[in-house]
Amino acid sequence: MGLNRLIPMQPVASMPASVEFYEKLGFSVENRNDEWGWAMLRCGDHRLMVDQSINLHPGIPRTSVLYLYPENLQDFHKRARENGLDIPEVDDTFYDMTEFRIEDPDGNRLWIGQAR
């Protein structure tokens, strides 16, 4: 038994606001359903779903962490800032990564880095 692929689904309060945020990180909309409040986003070969219907179910955790590995961290960092996101400085970690951390509009955490 194996998997063909794994696509994270982020719980969001507003799919349109989340789409706008992730577009500033270089994602594009592959599929979108405004009636459901759901969208499939794509960045290269990678996909991410955002879904506001998850918030309709009480007791389900609302935050997660995605670790993104861009091809070039410095370029990715620069582009995100140029696109208007409030991005902290890049930092070296004790676990041999260079990274920065941000949150999407719903508090889902994004750690973005590359090996030193």
Side-chain angles (χ1 to χ4, degrees), residues 9-15 33-39 49-58 60-62:
M9 185 180 308
Q10 297 283 73
V12 300
S14 168
M15 179 270 293
N33 187 309
D34 289 303
E35 183 179 330
W36 301 343
W38 171 90
M49 289 184 271
V50 293
D51 186 352
Q52 62 191 43
S53 72
I54 294 171
N55 290 320
L56 301 177
H57 305 284
I60 294 177
R62 300 294 190 262

Side-chain angles (χ1 to χ4, degrees), residues 36-100:
W36 301 343
W38 171 90
M40 173 77 76
L41 308 176
R42 181 181 190 145
C43 186
D45 292 335
H46 309 285
R47 290 179 177 80
L48 169 68
M49 289 184 271
V50 293
D51 186 352
Q52 62 191 43
S53 72
I54 294 171
N55 290 320
L56 301 177
H57 305 284
I60 294 177
R62 300 294 190 262
T63 61
S64 64
V65 176
L66 295 178
Y67 204 106
L68 307 179
Y69 295 86
E71 292 176 9
N72 183 305
L73 180 65
Q74 297 299 332
D75 287 348
F76 191 92
H77 184 266
K78 180 181 175 187
R79 185 177 69 228
R81 277 191 168 171
E82 289 172 351
N83 287 337
L85 296 178
D86 184 20
I87 304 292
E89 294 297 325
V90 172
D91 193 24
D92 290 332
T93 70
F94 69 91
Y95 46 89
D96 294 326
M97 295 292 288
T98 301
E99 68 181 28
F100 64 97

